[in-house]
Amino acid sequence: MASLGSFMSVLNFLLFLFVGLISSSEAAIKKYQFDIQVKNVSRLCHAKPIVTVNGRFPGPTIYAREGDQVFVNVTNHAQYNMSIHWHGLKQYRNGWADGPAYITQCPIQTGNSYTYEFNVTGQRGTLWWHAHIFWLRATVYGAIVIMPKLGTPFPFPQPAREFEIVLGEWWNNDVEEIEKQGNKLGLPPNMSDAHTINGKPGPLFPCSEKHTFAMEVEQGKTYLMRIVNAALNDELFFAIAGHNMTVVEVDAVYTKPFTTQAILIAPGQTTNVLVHANQVAGRYFVATKAFMDAPIQVDNKTATAILQYKDIPNTVQPILPQLPASNDTGFALSYNKKLRSLNSAKYPANVPLKVDRNLFYTIGLGKNSCPTCLNGTRFLASINNVSFVMPQIALLQAHYFNIKGVFRADFPDRPPTPFNYTGAPLTANLASLTDTRVNKIAFNSTVELVLQDTNLLTVESHPFHLHGYNFFVVGTGIGNFDPAKDPAKYNLVDPIERNTIGVPTGGWTAIRFQADNPGVWFMHCHLELHTGWGLKTAFLVENGPNQGQSVLPPPKDLPSC
């Protein structure tokens, strides 16, 4: 019996080691070093210094697996203060790693370092990271690829290979100077000079033959494209000549697959598509251009990359895809309507059915008096007539350390003066306030937020991003939201789950989420132009009553203001 007992002890020990090896292989520690550096880069026959990460534009991709712990040490060698946002990562209780400057952290000053530490929990798919201060995300951005846990397959056919495709914008002149000049004149800054695909505008632009991203594919194989819109101010169409795409994921959430010839992707959003290389072997343009269905000027030039079949020479002329018209509202509405959560047993759509807090936020543009500006006025933007003023101390720090006078927690649940939001164009400011206000939300309460576009100066589509959370898009429509009729049309079964959603031009979008992540979480329009004008606010989600339901203590190397 003693020998049997010894054998069983050894067996149990070996089993313990085996289980430990499996768990350690599943949950790894990933470490990255980000050096913020200024580097000279040439595009469109222009060379200029840009802010980069590790000298790369776009910056390096973060690769992780669901369950991993990630450390990114950021050292700032540039002349600008810096912060990095890990867009779409929920950062449970860990707003200190979220990154928006003066919201969850003070920026990393020149010559200093800060280590972002976060766990990748319950998420898999494509997200991205970017600078979250000034307009520096024009060049400081990159993809985040989160693979499923080991042994867990995709809920769609395994691709032969993956490609990361990050869409962006390029200015020939210094972006920070362009923004400063616009603010000084009280006018919108100059629009970009080109769109880019992985930092390259493609051969339709001058001096750009060598600045073209190319993907080689083999006949009969299927490929996964991880697409990110990192543009500052433009919603974008994206298509591949001669090839359909099957949408399988948005914002790191699996979708019911559907096939389309083009996709629409707003700044801040990600979309994964499957592409089957089933056409005549050749070279095909991959193209992107802006979507804008309001009377507003945008950069309407088309950027291209190349999908090239193996063994096809570079002398073969690529074919251009047929992109939707720049103002194709019908395509935009139809495309977004097709997006549904997978809602399977393994990946359920846990839509909140009972609502504890109803919020109604109107989105407005306006003008304030500015005697020194060109026209005597300056643009501003507001939510519920409050144009957000950035504080000098980070909101999360003020909340955690109970620092008084930094913000007010009385952001209005609805606009103070109801009006015909999308009626005839309005030029009044409706007495917009400039203030630092947040909305206090009880821990674990369920929130329904209706975002309503308005015709203050003009209607326009607005992509809104909520930090720290995913939300379900339960309804959308054109015109004014009707609380008596529109909720009856909600999709509460399989609505798409996202972190960034486009509010349609002259319309509304209703989202729901459960406030189970304590802290201070930024919510803003992801058009950098509008964010700078004040189209932003934050939610202060209170701590829960139990252990493990409150904001974590801050790290020791937290930057100071």
Side-chain angles (χ1 to χ4, degrees):
M1 291 296 292
S3 60
L4 179 60
S6 300
F7 173 76
M8 291 302 294
S9 296
V10 171
L11 187 63
N12 286 335
F13 178 69
L14 290 173
L15 183 62
F16 171 78
L17 283 179
F18 178 69
V19 171
L21 284 170
I22 290 177
S23 61
S24 65
S25 66
E26 285 185 349
I29 294 175
K30 301 290 176 63
K31 293 186 177 182
Y32 289 86
Q33 174 63 40
F34 276 18
D35 287 308
I36 309 299
Q37 302 167 329
V38 174
K39 180 183 178 181
N40 281 324
V41 171
S42 177
R43 296 288 187 274
L44 275 65
C45 315
H46 289 74
K48 69 169 185 176
I50 66 170
V51 182
T52 70
V53 171
N54 300 347
R56 296 168 59 179
F57 167 62
T61 298
I62 296 284
Y63 294 99
R65 192 174 290 279
E66 183 182 352
D68 284 354
Q69 188 177 24
V70 180
F71 293 83
V72 186
N73 184 64
V74 178
T75 302
N76 187 8
H77 303 283
Q79 71 269 34
Y80 302 102
N81 290 344
M82 178 58 63
S83 69
I84 304 289
H85 171 49
W86 316 94
H87 186 113
L89 281 164
K90 295 179 184 176
Q91 306 286 16
Y92 185 67
R93 302 171 55 208
N94 188 33
W96 311 109
D98 190 45
Y102 300 106
I103 304 297
T104 59
Q105 68 164 95
C106 296
I108 306 164
Q109 297 184 20
T110 302
N112 291 355
S113 297
Y114 176 54
T115 300
Y116 293 92
E117 176 185 345
F118 50 86
N119 296 316
V120 181
T121 305
Q123 292 183 274
R124 80 293 306 162
T126 305
L127 297 171
W128 66 299
W129 58 265
H130 59 84
H132 213 303
I133 183 169
F134 311 127
W135 278 35
L136 293 176
R137 73 175 177 90
T139 57
V140 180
Y141 60 79
I144 301 174
V145 173
I146 306 170
M147 296 300 293
K149 290 181 179 179
L150 280 173
T152 302
F154 295 128
F156 48 80
Q158 180 71 25
R161 185 182 171 187
E162 301 181 6
F163 295 103
E164 294 138 31
I165 299 174
V166 187
L167 312 176
E169 290 180 90
W170 172 265
W171 280 260
N172 287 332
N173 295 318
D174 184 285
V175 177
E176 289 303 306
E177 288 304 315
I178 289 170
E179 187 208 8
K180 287 177 186 175
Q181 182 71 6
N183 288 336
K184 186 177 179 181
L185 296 174
L187 299 172
N190 293 342
M191 70 183 73
S192 56
D193 295 291
H195 292 111
T196 58
I197 300 176
N198 288 346
K200 300 174 179 180
L204 302 186
F205 288 87
C207 305
S208 298
E209 194 70 39
K210 66 178 181 178
H211 297 305
T212 302
F213 176 69
M215 298 170 277
E216 185 179 85
V217 299
E218 293 185 42
Q219 187 80 41
K221 292 188 176 180
T222 299
Y223 297 85
L224 180 67
M225 295 187 181
R226 299 176 177 270
I227 306 162
V228 178
N229 186 351
L232 261 68
N233 294 310
D234 289 341
E235 294 187 74
L236 295 169
F237 292 122
F238 177 93
I240 306 168
H243 294 73
N244 288 331
M245 296 174 285
T246 302
V247 177
V248 293
E249 177 206 303
V250 296
D251 293 2
V253 176
Y254 295 132
T255 65
K256 286 184 171 67
F258 68 94
T259 300
T260 182
Q261 291 184 327
I263 69 167
L264 175 64
I265 183 167
Q269 293 181 337
T270 69
T271 303
N272 282 9
V273 300
L274 292 175
V275 178
H276 192 42
N278 58 358
Q279 299 300 302
V280 174
R283 301 175 79 223
Y284 297 84
F285 271 130
V286 178
T288 185
K289 73 171 183 180
F291 163 64
M292 172 54 73
D293 60 350
I296 293 170
Q297 282 193 320
V298 293
D299 176 1
N300 61 5
K301 296 178 286 294
T302 301
T304 54
I306 294 176
L307 183 81
Q308 183 163 337
Y309 281 69
K310 189 176 181 181
D311 298 327
I312 296 297
N314 291 344
T315 53
V316 174
Q317 186 66 27
I319 303 166
L320 269 170
Q322 186 69 39
L323 287 161
S326 294
N327 61 350
D328 195 339
T329 304
F331 177 90
L333 296 174
S334 172
Y335 174 81
N336 285 323
K337 193 174 181 180
K338 293 174 185 174
L339 292 168
R340 302 291 182 96
S341 291
L342 190 58
N343 196 22
S344 65
K346 188 172 179 62
Y347 303 105
N350 296 315
V351 189
L353 300 179
K354 173 181 168 291
V355 175
D356 300 316
R357 186 86 176 269
N358 282 283
L359 306 176
F360 183 75
Y361 283 5
T362 52
I363 304 159
L365 302 178
K367 292 181 180 180
N368 266 8
S369 174
C370 176
T372 61
C373 295
L374 188 65
N375 297 322
T377 58
R378 183 193 305 277
F379 282 100
L380 84 165
S382 62
I383 301 173
N384 283 354
N385 300 358
V386 178
S387 187
F388 190 87
V389 177
M390 294 298 283
Q392 297 302 304
I393 297 173
L395 298 182
L396 181 60
Q397 289 174 267
H399 166 59
Y400 187 87
F401 294 108
N402 198 27
I403 303 171
K404 304 297 184 184
V406 177
F407 64 87
R408 292 169 52 177
D410 60 351
F411 188 89
D413 284 5
R414 49 195 51 80
T417 307
F419 61 98
N420 182 4
Y421 305 112
T422 56
L426 298 158
T427 56
N429 283 340
L430 295 182
S432 293
L433 303 172
T434 53
D435 208 347
T436 307
R437 295 194 189 187
V438 305
N439 206 327
K440 187 180 287 188
I441 306 291
F443 177 80
N444 221 28
S445 60
T446 54
V447 178
E448 178 176 307
L449 168 60
V450 176
L451 292 160
Q452 172 73 61
D453 187 30
T454 70
N455 206 358
L456 286 165
L457 294 191
T458 180
V459 289
E460 186 176 350
S461 177
H462 297 273
F464 265 83
H465 172 47
L466 175 58
H467 291 228
Y469 288 90
N470 280 358
F471 49 75
F472 290 97
V473 184
V474 295
T476 191
I478 300 299
N480 296 337
F481 174 74
D482 186 339
K485 295 179 180 178
D486 287 326
K489 306 171 193 171
Y490 283 176
N491 175 9
L492 300 178
V493 177
D494 61 351
I496 196 61
E497 183 182 346
R498 311 203 70 142
N499 62 61
T500 305
I501 186 61
V503 180
T505 301
W508 57 271
T509 293
I511 66 173
R512 287 186 182 182
F513 64 95
Q514 186 167 5
D516 57 359
N517 191 4
V520 179
W521 302 105
F522 205 22
M523 191 191 76
H524 60 98
C525 179
H526 223 277
L527 304 180
E528 204 62 40
L529 183 64
H530 293 171
T531 301
W533 289 348
L535 200 56
K536 51 198 173 187
T537 183
F539 291 113
L540 193 168
V541 179
E542 297 178 294
N543 288 335
N546 302 323
Q547 189 176 6
Q549 294 180 335
S550 58
V551 177
L552 291 168
K556 292 179 181 177
D557 64 342
L558 190 69
S560 57
C561 291

